[in-house]
Amino acid sequence: MKAIVVDENSPGKDLRWQEVPEPELAAGEVTVEVHATALNRADLSQRHGRYPPPPGASEILGLEVAGTVAQLGPGVDGWEIGQRVAALLPGGGYAERVNVPAGMLMPVPDSLTLEEAAGVPETFLTAYSALFNEGALQRGETVLLHAGASGVGTSAIKMTARAGT
């Protein structure tokens, strides 16, 4: 398969589209045929060595994807080959295929294109966690959002409006 790989030997850490080994599918994982991915600040930092992937994660950039289920690993239930999914990843999204723990997959509704869905995981999950898990935001409360033009900021604006704050 092909992936976008950082050329560590180039002065600008150039990106190259090149052949890489297929990821090995483990128990509890799903192979996703990547149709779209997103670009965010963490990808840029990782490219320059300032945001290393977690131990055991792919060195290939790409922290979120949308695509279709291509293969189910042993012990995976609840997903079907060809199903449209999105996922937040520890890495590997800038490739033709990526393996994802089944619990990290989200179904993509018919109302979203795969390109739209690829931009959802990082921004919306971060905003949701900050607003509702950490902040315990309730209807009728006032929210001050800094950096409202960022991906997480625009997601937070949409969520607070929907939540009636």
Side-chain angles (χ1 to χ4, degrees):
M1 78 169 182
K2 289 195 173 186
I4 295 175
V5 177
V6 178
D7 181 351
E8 296 293 340
N9 297 319
S10 68
K13 299 214 182 224
D14 296 338
L15 301 178
R16 306 267 186 243
W17 181 244
Q18 67 185 46
E19 287 290 331
V20 298
E22 289 276 344
E24 291 187 32
L25 186 62
E29 290 185 334
V30 171
T31 300
V32 174
E33 186 81 25
V34 177
H35 292 261
T37 187
L39 173 66
N40 57 60
R41 190 175 310 275
D43 295 310
L44 300 175
S45 294
Q46 187 175 353
R47 175 183 179 185
H48 294 288
R50 294 187 296 270
Y51 189 79
S58 175
E59 294 290 324
I60 297 170
L61 300 176
L63 302 178
E64 51 194 333
V65 297
T68 55
V69 173
Q71 187 176 1
L72 303 173
V76 173
D77 293 316
W79 300 100
E80 297 177 12
I81 303 295
Q83 186 173 1
R84 294 165 18 108
V85 295
L88 185 61
L89 312 165
Y94 289 7
E96 291 179 308
R97 285 172 291 289
V98 65
N99 293 336
V100 181
M104 293 178 68
L105 290 176
M106 299 171 276
V108 174
D110 290 338
S111 60
L112 290 179
T113 67
L114 290 174
E115 293 81 8
E116 291 167 332
V120 168
E122 185 72 43
T123 61
F124 279 88
L125 292 174
T126 300
Y128 183 90
S129 179
L131 292 168
F132 301 102
N133 294 343
E134 299 297 324
L137 183 63
Q138 301 294 315
R139 179 177 295 280
E141 292 183 326
T142 300
V143 177
L144 172 62
L145 297 171
H146 295 277
S150 71
V152 173
T154 55
S155 298
I157 289 168
K158 290 177 183 275
M159 288 182 171
T160 56
R162 178 120 176 139
T165 61

